[in-house]
Amino acid sequence: MAAETDQLLKRVLVPVLLPEKCYDQLFVQWDVLHVPCLKILLSKGLGLGIVAGSLLVKLPQVFKILGAKSAEGLSLQSTMLELMALTGTVVYSITNNFPFSSWGEALFLMLQTVTICFLIMHFRGQTVKGVGFLACFALILLVLLSPLTPLAVVTLLQASNVPAVVVGKLLQAATNYSNGHTGQLSAITVFLLFGGSLTRIFTSIQETGDPLMAGVFVVSSLCNGLIAGQVLFYWNTEPPHKQKKER
């Protein structure tokens, strides 16, 4: 029975969370304080947790837009720049064969973000433009992932994530400040993005060793923290038209 349990545990953990040598170190030799293997286990666990959680991160934002039938307070330019950054991370990670646990959430966030871009256009009365945007995005993504795109271009796209993230978040912050409220911006989504980007600093260093990936998440954490601070600051502030309706 003990041997069967050990084999079952090994099949679950290796190689998803641990390389075989670390499994032997922790669960055969019972060296539970082996720091390098514990760091791998922690990084993999956090990474997969973020990937799983990313399936739901932006759904509150999508549902809030659909429920209100409005994308008021959301900056289309900011959302598109965020989409550009996420797309760059996905393409760069696939091209470099990074572990899925180190970047998988970018794929799901990318799909949710492109949905939000379409919804913003749709509720602004630009549905046809939104459909065209979806088609163009799909085509560009296919080209970027194809052998036609040189590695230098992919690396440049990832490097452009830093200014894209900064400008995108600053545009959203400026929109919030100008409006005096955060409109249909979902607090749940904002705080989940902030927490996820902070955690990704550690996992990207641990799993990829790529300073470019880690740097993007450092910048992303600072910018997400700015938006999170605005959400707290404007917590009890309602859009002007909503205040008039309530009166």
Side-chain angles (χ1 to χ4, degrees), residues 73 170-183 230 234 237 240:
L170 287 180
L171 282 172
Q172 182 61 62
T175 299
N176 296 338
Y177 178 76
S178 176
N179 291 340
H181 60 80
T182 53
Q230 285 189 313
Y234 294 120
T237 305

Side-chain angles (χ1 to χ4, degrees), residues 113-178:
T113 303
V114 77
T115 300
I116 292 170
C117 284
F118 171 76
L119 289 175
I120 292 175
M121 294 181 195
H122 172 67
F123 287 114
R124 289 181 178 178
Q126 302 172 333
T127 304
V128 175
K129 182 179 177 181
V131 173
F133 163 75
L134 292 178
C136 290
F137 174 75
L139 180 61
I140 291 170
L141 184 60
L142 286 174
V143 171
L144 288 173
L145 290 172
S146 74
L148 297 173
T149 305
L151 178 60
V153 173
V154 174
T155 303
L156 180 62
L157 181 62
Q158 175 67 3
S160 70
N161 279 2
V162 172
V165 168
V166 171
V167 173
K169 294 298 181 181
L170 287 180
L171 282 172
Q172 182 61 62
T175 299
N176 296 338
Y177 178 76
S178 176

